[in-house]
Amino acid sequence: MGVDGVIGEDEGLRRRGCSCGKDDFLPEESFKSWGNYVQALKETPNRFMNRVLTRSLDSTELHEIKARSQHEMKKNLSWWDLIWFGIGAVIGSGIFVLTGLQAQQVSGPAVVLSFVVSGVSAMLSVFCYTEFAVEIPVAGGSFAYLRVELGDFIAYIAAGNILLEYVIGGAAVARSWTSYFATLCNHDSDDFIIIVHSMPDDYSKLDPIAVVVVCVICVLAVLSTKGSSRFNYIASIIHVIVILFIIIAGFTKADTKNYSNFAPFGVRGIFKSSAVLFFAYVGFDAVSTMAEETKNPARDIPIGLVGSMAITTAAYCLLSVVLCLMQPYPKIDKDAPFSVAFEAVGMSWAKYVVAAGALKGMTTVLLVGAVGQARYLTHIARTHMLPPWLAQVHPKTGTPINATIVMLIATAIIAFFTDLKILADLLSISTLFIFLLVALALIVRRYYVSGETSTTDRNTLITCLILILGSSTATATYWGVSENNDWVAYVITMPIWFLATAGIAVFIPQARKPKVWGVPLVPWLPSLSIAINIFLLGSIDGASFKRFGIWTCVLLLYYFFFGLHASYDTAKESGENRIGDGWKRVEEGQSVSTVTASGVSLDEAK
C-alpha cells in the first residue's frame, strides 16, 4: 500500500537508493553538528517524557511509517503459506534438543505437562498477536502494536528484546544444527567443534558449521519471501513426515514401565522445564511480521497463527511422550535424544532418519526466523530508533536486504561462541517479557481510547492493571524463592489477580471493539496470558536475569545517546509529535478525516 505525497525525508530516502553515507545512519537534525548534539543531550529529559507519553496511531503505522522504506514489500502470502511458516518457524531445536535435557535433569516423563503449560501460554499469546496483526498488518509486529498502545519508550525496550530473541534463537538453532549434522555423519558433536581452553567454559566451544549454515540462510532470505515460503513449505512437509515416523515407530517400541515414576522432580520441575521449553514455541511471532506481505490479513493471519500453533502443540506433546516411553528418563541423551533413543531400542538406522528430519526442521526455523527478524528491524528503523539505512527495501527482491544481513551477521557471531543452555535460558526471558507486554497492550486497546474513555474509567483500568501485574509478580517471586510446597501466599495473590481482572470486565466498558477478528473472553484471556508469562519468568535461573539486565542497560545507553534524539526529530518533522486534543481523537474506528504534516490523507470513517 503506497502513500502518495510523502515528502522531505522519505523522498530523500528514495532518491538515495541503497547508499551507505552518514545521512543513511544519522540524518536527523540533532546529529548535523556537535553543537546540535550537545543541545539535544541537554533536552534529554523533555524529549524522553515526550516519547514516553506519545502514542502512535494505527493509521500512522499503516501508512506514514511504512512509507519510509524505499519500496513496497510484495503481497504474495496466503493462509496456507502462513501455516507452513508457523510450523517451520517453531518446530526445530526446541523439541529435538531441549526435550532431552529437560526430561533427563529437570522434569522426567512429566516433560509432556511442561509442554502443555508452555503451549497454553503460547496459544494465549497467539490470540493476542492475532488481533493486532489483523488490524495493524505491518512488518513491525509487536513493536508496532506496542507503539500504538503503550508508547514509544516501552516499544523500544520491547524492540531491543525482540532483536535479542531472534539473534539468540537463531544462534541456538544453528548450534543445534551442528549436533544433528554430526549424528547424521556418525560422529560425536564435539568432532566438529573447535575447543579453546583459554576461554571460559560457556564460550570456549567454537562452532564454524553454525556460521556456514547462517550464511546460507542469509542468501535464501534476501532473495525472495515467496521463494523462502516455497522452500519452507517443501522442507516442512518432509519434516512433518519425519515427525509422524518418530511418533509411530516410537510407540511400537514403547515400554510403559518407563512411566512408573512420572514426575520424579515434582511440580516445581514441571514448571521449571516449561519456562525453558517455552523456547520450543518461539518463532510464531515471526508470522505476524509477515502481515504486510499477506494478501488478506483479516482471514489469513488468524488461520495461519492459530492453526500452526495447534498443530505444533499436539506434535510436541506426542513427541515428548514417545521419547520417555522409549527410554528411562535418566538414560535419555541430552544432546540428540531421539536419535540415541532409537539406537537404544535396536533401531540404529532410524537415528539417521531422525537426524535428517531434525536438520530440515532447524533449517526452516532459521529461515523463517531470518525473514521475521529482518522485518522487525526494518520497521524499528522506519521510526529512526535505529539507523534508517536498515529500513531500505530492495526494489527487485522486495525484501529488506540490509536488515537481513545485519541480523544474521550478529546471529553468526553469537552462534560461533556461545553454549546452547545459556542461549535457551536468556531467550525465554526476552520472549516471555515481550508476550506479557503484548497481552497488556491488548487490554489497553480494548478498554482505553483517547478522548472517549472517561477519567474515572482510565484510573480504574490503571489500578486494575497494576494489581494484575503486582499479584502475578508476587506469585512468581514466591514460587522462585520458596523451597517448600507452602500454598499460603497463593491464597492471597491469586484472588487479587481474579478480582482485578473481574474489575475490568464488570466496571469498565470496552471503548473499542475489534473490527474484523477479536480475542474471545477479554479481559480474561490476555490477563491469564500476563499471569502465566510472569509465572514462567519466576522459574528461570538468576544468572539469566543478570544477563538480561546487562542487555537492558546496553539498550538504555544507546537509546538516551542516539535512539531517543533520532526518533524525536523524526516524529517532530513528520507531525507525530503534534498530538493536541484534536489529534488524540484520531483513533481507529472513529469518523475522523485529517491530514498529517507530511501530507498523508487519513480517513478513518468506520
Side-chain angles (χ1 to χ4, degrees):
M1 185 184 299
V3 178
D4 297 327
V6 177
I7 60 175
E9 172 195 6
D10 301 333
E11 184 178 333
L13 186 58
R14 290 192 181 96
R15 285 199 301 268
R16 287 197 297 269
C18 291
S19 57
C20 195
K22 175 184 177 294
D23 283 346
D24 292 291
F25 292 89
L26 295 171
E28 300 81 18
E29 186 65 27
S30 294
F31 305 102
K32 293 295 184 183
S33 67
W34 279 107
N36 287 10
Y37 183 57
V38 171
Q39 182 61 34
L41 291 178
K42 291 179 180 178
E43 297 175 6
T44 295
N46 291 334
R47 292 185 172 197
F48 176 65
M49 289 305 299
N50 174 278
R51 302 323 298 158
V52 168
L53 297 176
T54 298
R55 296 192 304 152
S56 182
L57 304 172
D58 290 17
S59 302
T60 303
E61 299 298 317
L62 286 168
H63 301 288
E64 184 180 347
I65 302 298
K66 192 169 74 171
R68 291 175 185 169
S69 287
Q70 289 184 19
H71 303 277
E72 291 289 323
M73 296 185 190
K74 297 177 181 178
K75 289 183 174 291
N76 50 21
L77 300 179
S78 67
W79 63 267
W80 185 251
D81 295 306
L82 295 182
I83 281 183
W84 287 105
F85 261 129
I87 293 172
V90 176
I91 302 181
S93 61
I95 184 66
F96 286 110
V97 176
L98 292 179
T99 307
L101 176 64
Q102 294 303 309
Q104 183 203 70
Q105 300 180 3
V106 185
S107 56
V111 69
V112 63
L113 298 182
S114 301
F115 272 115
V116 171
V117 173
S118 298
V120 169
S121 178
M123 185 62 81
L124 292 173
S125 297
V126 163
F127 277 120
C128 297
Y129 265 82
T130 300
E131 181 169 330
F132 276 114
V134 166
E135 298 202 355
I136 314 176
V138 293
S142 54
F143 170 72
Y145 315 151
L146 295 175
R147 248 173 67 85
V148 169
E149 299 304 334
L150 300 182
D152 258 29
F153 179 66
I154 297 297
Y156 170 79
I157 296 299
N161 283 285
I162 289 165
L163 299 180
L164 179 68
E165 168 196 329
Y166 275 108
V167 169
I168 290 178
V173 174
R175 288 190 74 96
S176 300
W177 202 98
T178 302
S179 296
Y180 271 91
F181 179 71
T183 300
L184 193 62
C185 297
N186 209 24
H187 280 265
D188 186 79
S189 59
D190 286 345
D191 293 346
F192 296 97
I193 298 294
I194 300 172
I195 299 178
V196 181
H197 296 288
S198 60
M199 297 178 67
D201 291 341
D202 291 333
Y203 305 94
S204 63
K205 296 183 178 181
L206 309 185
D207 193 339
I209 291 180
V211 176
V212 173
V213 171
V214 171
C215 291
V216 173
I217 291 298
C218 182
V219 174
L220 290 173
V222 300
L223 290 179
S224 165
T225 303
K226 189 64 178 178
S228 298
S229 175
R230 291 193 185 103
F231 175 84
N232 172 74
Y233 174 54
I234 295 170
S236 294
I237 288 176
I238 297 172
H239 191 41
V240 168
I241 292 172
V242 172
I243 288 174
L244 290 174
F245 164 79
I246 295 172
I247 293 171
I248 295 170
F251 273 123
T252 66
K253 299 293 183 178
D255 185 353
T256 54
K257 292 180 182 178
N258 294 331
Y259 254 44
S260 59
N261 188 7
F262 180 69
F265 302 96
V267 176
R268 188 169 296 275
I270 293 172
F271 282 104
K272 282 186 176 180
S273 280
S274 66
V276 175
L277 290 174
F278 197 86
F279 168 80
Y281 292 94
V282 169
F284 73 81
D285 52 329
V287 178
S288 71
T289 69
M290 299 173 197
E292 194 171 313
E293 297 159 270
T294 302
K295 297 175 184 176
N296 186 354
R299 179 199 66 190
D300 297 339
I301 292 174
I303 296 174
L305 275 171
V306 177
S308 59
M309 184 53 62
I311 293 170
T312 298
T313 302
Y316 281 176
C317 291
L318 288 171
L319 285 168
S320 59
V321 168
V322 163
L323 177 65
C324 294
L325 284 174
M326 290 173 68
Q327 269 192 305
Y329 76 89
K331 296 183 179 179
I332 293 174
D333 186 81
K334 61 184 179 66
D335 294 318
F338 289 94
S339 295
V340 174
F342 276 108
E343 191 170 15
V345 296
M347 297 177 65
S348 299
W349 57 272
K351 73 176 183 179
Y352 300 108
V353 177
V354 174
L359 286 177
K360 286 184 174 63
M362 284 182 267
T363 302
T364 59
V365 168
L366 284 170
L367 178 60
V368 179
V371 172
Q373 68 192 20
R375 279 139 189 83
Y376 265 122
L377 189 60
T378 296
H379 200 76
I380 296 166
R382 287 168 173 171
T383 69
H384 287 220
M385 288 186 192
L386 291 173
W389 178 79
L390 295 167
Q392 296 175 5
V393 174
H394 196 274
K396 291 184 179 179
T397 65
T399 58
I401 290 181
N402 297 344
T404 305
I405 293 174
V406 167
M407 288 296 288
L408 289 177
I409 287 175
T411 300
I413 293 172
I414 298 297
F416 187 55
F417 289 101
T418 313
D419 183 74
L420 177 62
K421 186 179 186 305
I422 289 178
L423 295 173
D425 286 346
L426 189 52
L427 176 65
S428 293
I429 291 180
S430 297
T431 306
L432 291 165
F433 175 67
I434 295 161
F435 289 172
L436 79 87
L437 284 179
V438 171
L440 180 66
L442 179 62
I443 296 177
V444 173
R445 182 174 181 81
R446 288 286 194 93
Y447 289 92
Y448 177 77
V449 172
S450 298
E452 286 193 7
T453 304
S454 69
T455 302
T456 301
D457 287 341
R458 182 198 64 192
N459 293 340
T460 303
L461 177 63
I462 292 172
T463 302
C464 290
L465 289 176
I466 290 173
L467 289 173
I468 289 171
L469 292 170
S471 60
S472 300
T473 302
T475 301
T477 302
Y478 185 75
W479 172 265
V481 300
S482 63
E483 296 296 332
N484 53 44
N485 294 321
D486 185 9
W487 294 90
V488 174
Y490 307 133
V491 175
I492 299 172
T493 59
M494 291 181 178
I496 292 176
W497 170 86
F498 179 85
L499 292 173
T501 307
I504 295 176
V506 174
F507 297 111
I508 307 174
Q510 286 199 27
R512 181 188 349 231
K513 299 287 185 181
K515 290 178 288 188
V516 181
W517 190 94
V519 176
L521 298 176
V522 173
W524 295 101
L525 287 189
S527 180
L528 183 60
S529 179
I530 291 171
I532 292 178
N533 287 329
I534 292 178
F535 185 77
L536 292 177
L537 281 170
S539 299
I540 296 176
D541 66 281
S544 295
F545 277 100
K546 290 179 182 177
R547 298 185 189 104
F548 178 76
I550 292 171
W551 173 245
T552 301
C553 289
V554 171
L555 289 178
L556 291 174
L557 285 173
Y558 173 83
Y559 183 71
F560 284 115
F561 283 99
F562 295 98
L564 167 63
H565 308 292
S567 62
Y568 177 86
D569 286 348
T570 303
K572 183 178 179 181
E573 182 178 343
S574 68
E576 284 184 62
N577 277 6
R578 300 177 186 179
I579 306 183
D581 292 339
W583 280 87
K584 285 185 179 180
R585 298 186 64 81
V586 183
E587 295 282 350
E588 292 298 327
Q590 290 185 292
S591 183
V592 178
S593 181
T594 188
V595 179
T596 69
S598 58
V600 183
S601 177
L602 305 177
D603 189 354
E604 296 305 320
K606 189 177 288 185

